[in-house]
Amino acid sequence: MDQPSFADLEQARHKRKPRRQVFLEKLEMLVPWEKLEARIEPYYPKAEKGRRPYPLSLMLRSHVVQVTHNLSDPAMEDLLYEAESVRRFVGLGQRDSIPDESTLLHFRHLSERHDLGQGLFQEINEHLAALVFGCGRGR
């Protein structure tokens, strides 16, 4: 983990968390990230020749934020520049480069090309059902 920035320290001294940060913290706990990454990984480009791809976890998290906030690719790029809480959520540090709108578009097209959306949605629903219905059985 990077050393805390001045923005991190400023954020920590506030008593109330912004709604977006609360939402992202809940999303972090509720989504089965490893299972989703495992579904996408066979199709995700490997670091071979040329420019190295962004980490899969960063792109998946960016995509989920984009979908949950109903953002276009350019709007998602802007959000990554503007919102520290979103950058932290997707795994970007202060000095990391931010995926541009075409990179976000390519990830979305990869998902569409391999019909991954329905499988990811199903994985999330099964995970949430297990959380909801699994909690009440032991009582």
Side-chain angles (χ1 to χ4, degrees), residues 74-128:
M76 182 62 204
E77 179 184 0
D78 287 346
L79 184 64
L80 287 169
Y81 276 104
E82 294 168 358
E84 176 65 29
S85 61
V86 175
R87 279 197 305 274
R88 267 195 311 260
F89 175 77
V90 301
L92 288 169
Q94 285 290 111
R95 296 183 184 99
D96 294 333
S97 67
I98 290 176
D100 63 4
E101 64 182 86
S102 66
T103 303
L104 298 166
L105 172 73
H106 289 303
F107 185 82
R108 191 163 41 80
H109 284 176
L110 174 112
S111 173
E112 293 166 357
R113 187 170 48 251
H114 298 288
D115 291 324
L116 297 173
Q118 185 63 33
L120 297 176
F121 185 68
Q122 181 181 349
E123 194 76 55
I124 292 170
N125 281 339
E126 289 172 4
H127 180 74
L128 293 176

Side-chain angles (χ1 to χ4, degrees), residues 1-106:
M1 182 87 186
D2 292 337
Q3 180 178 355
S5 67
F6 287 119
D8 293 333
L9 296 173
E10 179 66 21
Q11 176 90 26
R13 78 178 187 89
H14 292 290
K15 292 184 180 359
R16 184 178 92 61
K17 292 181 184 178
R19 282 186 291 268
R20 180 182 292 132
Q21 184 177 346
V22 171
F23 173 77
L24 293 174
E25 288 172 359
K26 289 179 182 177
L27 201 59
E28 176 67 38
M29 294 182 332
L30 293 175
V31 175
W33 298 106
E34 296 82 20
K35 290 181 180 181
L36 300 184
E37 287 179 30
R39 280 189 178 254
I40 300 169
E41 196 275 327
Y43 308 103
Y44 197 68
K46 310 292 183 260
E48 294 171 354
K49 297 179 182 176
R51 193 174 93 187
R52 292 180 48 185
Y54 283 94
L56 174 56
S57 62
L58 185 150
M59 294 306 298
L60 174 61
R61 287 167 177 269
S62 296
H63 183 68
V64 169
V65 170
Q66 183 175 5
V67 168
T68 58
H69 287 75
N70 195 27
L71 299 173
S72 66
D73 299 322
M76 182 62 204
E77 179 184 0
D78 287 346
L79 184 64
L80 287 169
Y81 276 104
E82 294 168 358
E84 176 65 29
S85 61
V86 175
R87 279 197 305 274
R88 267 195 311 260
F89 175 77
V90 301
L92 288 169
Q94 285 290 111
R95 296 183 184 99
D96 294 333
S97 67
I98 290 176
D100 63 4
E101 64 182 86
S102 66
T103 303
L104 298 166
L105 172 73
H106 289 303

Side-chain angles (χ1 to χ4, degrees), residues 127-139:
H127 180 74
L128 293 176
L131 286 175
V132 170
F133 298 118
C135 292
R137 291 187 180 169
R139 294 179 184 174

